[in-house]
Amino acid sequence: MKDIKPTQDVQAQILEAFNSRHATKVFDPTRKISDDEFNTILEAARLSPSSFGFEPWQILVVQSPEKRELFREFSWGANGAFNGTAGQLGTASHFVIFLAHTDMTMKHNSEYQQQHMREVKKLPEEVIGFINQAFQKFQEHDFKIEGEQQITEWSARQAYIALGNVMTAAALLGIDSCPIEGFEMDKTIDVLEKHFGIDPKVYKPAVMVALGYREDEPPFAKTRREMDQVVSWF
């Protein structure tokens, strides 16, 4: 690994990006993210860490206006209903949906996991055997993650790691974003199955994120708790 030494300039850029970033409700529809920059954002997602390295997410990039409109009726967090606009669905340069793997692929010793460890991670069989045992203990004993709902929710928590990296990479590139949980789960699942060919037994929607360039500056200054209210040192 290359020796990466943070400098004051890099620190300042990071803080500037986080202070500038906000949950953009309306984007400038005339401005589009370049292919090169968006590929960098996707790489930030692809290279994100995950528990046991199983990468329990899939990413849908929904660019077709017609496809986006399929979600409008029930995606209250992205349809502009609160502010009388076209919302993120109608204005974002890029609209992304993270899917979480279900117990079909993320229950211990699944076929997906074995294939992933052999073909992607290229691990030797003895290491695969050790990870199988460790992951089974993790699911059944340590975190007690059993059943479709709990395993899918665990996968969604992993997807949020990738989501955070997507938003951070975008901010560092001067690109705005908005994470979206405001949608009806059952109707979203139905649309994904009927119009995108997503098998709900294998994948469930975890979170959406819109990306682009803000149309206007946010009306309020960023507010957060003070550091001593957030962090405890021992």
Side-chain angles (χ1 to χ4, degrees), residues 10 13-22 37 40-42 44-45 48 98 160-179 209-211:
V10 173
Q13 289 170 14
I14 291 170
L15 292 178
E16 181 182 359
F18 273 89
N19 277 301
S20 174
R21 196 216 68 79
H22 78 107
E37 287 178 316
T40 296
I41 291 170
L42 288 179
S48 294
F98 281 86
Y160 272 69
I161 299 173
L163 168 68
N165 287 336
V166 159
M167 295 170 63
T168 298
L172 289 167
L173 292 169
I175 295 168
D176 294 301
S177 64
C178 185
V209 62
L211 300 118

Side-chain angles (χ1 to χ4, degrees), residues 141-152:
H141 179 269
D142 298 347
F143 273 55
K144 296 181 172 57
I145 302 170
E146 300 178 90
E148 178 186 356
Q149 181 173 345
Q150 286 184 308
I151 291 175
T152 304

Side-chain angles (χ1 to χ4, degrees), residues 12-201:
Q13 289 170 14
I14 291 170
L15 292 178
E16 181 182 359
F18 273 89
N19 277 301
S20 174
R21 196 216 68 79
H22 78 107
T24 303
K25 301 301 187 291
V26 182
F27 295 89
D28 181 346
T30 67
R31 297 186 65 189
K32 301 300 179 184
I33 302 169
S34 71
D35 291 345
D36 185 57
E37 287 178 316
F38 191 69
N39 285 335
T40 296
I41 291 170
L42 288 179
E43 275 291 280
R46 188 182 72 87
L47 295 172
S48 294
S50 58
S51 185
F52 286 83
F54 283 146
E55 305 173 36
W57 58 69
Q58 297 295 122
I59 298 173
L60 299 182
V61 183
V62 186
Q63 293 302 89
S64 162
E66 292 77 18
K67 291 286 189 183
R68 289 190 190 181
E69 285 300 309
L70 295 170
F71 299 97
R72 179 168 294 281
E73 178 186 351
F74 50 83
S75 296
W76 51 268
N79 63 14
F82 290 136
N83 53 19
T85 70
Q88 297 95 325
L89 279 169
T91 62
S93 170
H94 288 67
F95 197 85
V96 175
I97 301 175
F98 281 86
L99 305 178
H101 287 222
T102 69
D103 59 331
M104 290 287 289
T105 55
M106 282 303 132
K107 185 175 175 60
H108 59 81
N109 296 302
S110 71
E111 181 179 344
Y112 168 89
Q113 291 172 6
Q114 310 315 303
Q115 182 181 27
H116 184 80
M117 287 188 284
R118 290 189 178 98
E119 297 181 9
V120 177
K121 300 181 77 65
K122 302 187 185 304
L123 298 174
E125 290 301 317
E126 61 271 17
V127 175
I128 292 174
F130 172 79
I131 293 176
N132 282 332
Q133 292 179 350
F135 191 65
Q136 182 171 355
K137 178 178 179 294
F138 166 78
Q139 280 194 325
E140 295 182 342
H141 179 269
D142 298 347
F143 273 55
K144 296 181 172 57
I145 302 170
E146 300 178 90
E148 178 186 356
Q149 181 173 345
Q150 286 184 308
I151 291 175
T152 304
E153 289 174 353
W154 171 83
S155 294
R157 293 201 297 271
Q158 306 307 305
Y160 272 69
I161 299 173
L163 168 68
N165 287 336
V166 159
M167 295 170 63
T168 298
L172 289 167
L173 292 169
I175 295 168
D176 294 301
S177 64
C178 185
I180 298 160
E181 290 184 316
F183 57 89
E184 294 183 42
M185 181 64 70
D186 290 343
K187 291 180 179 179
T188 303
I189 290 171
D190 187 58
V191 165
L192 289 172
E193 181 178 18
K194 290 181 178 178
H195 299 278
F196 293 78
I198 304 299
D199 186 348
K201 294 180 180 179

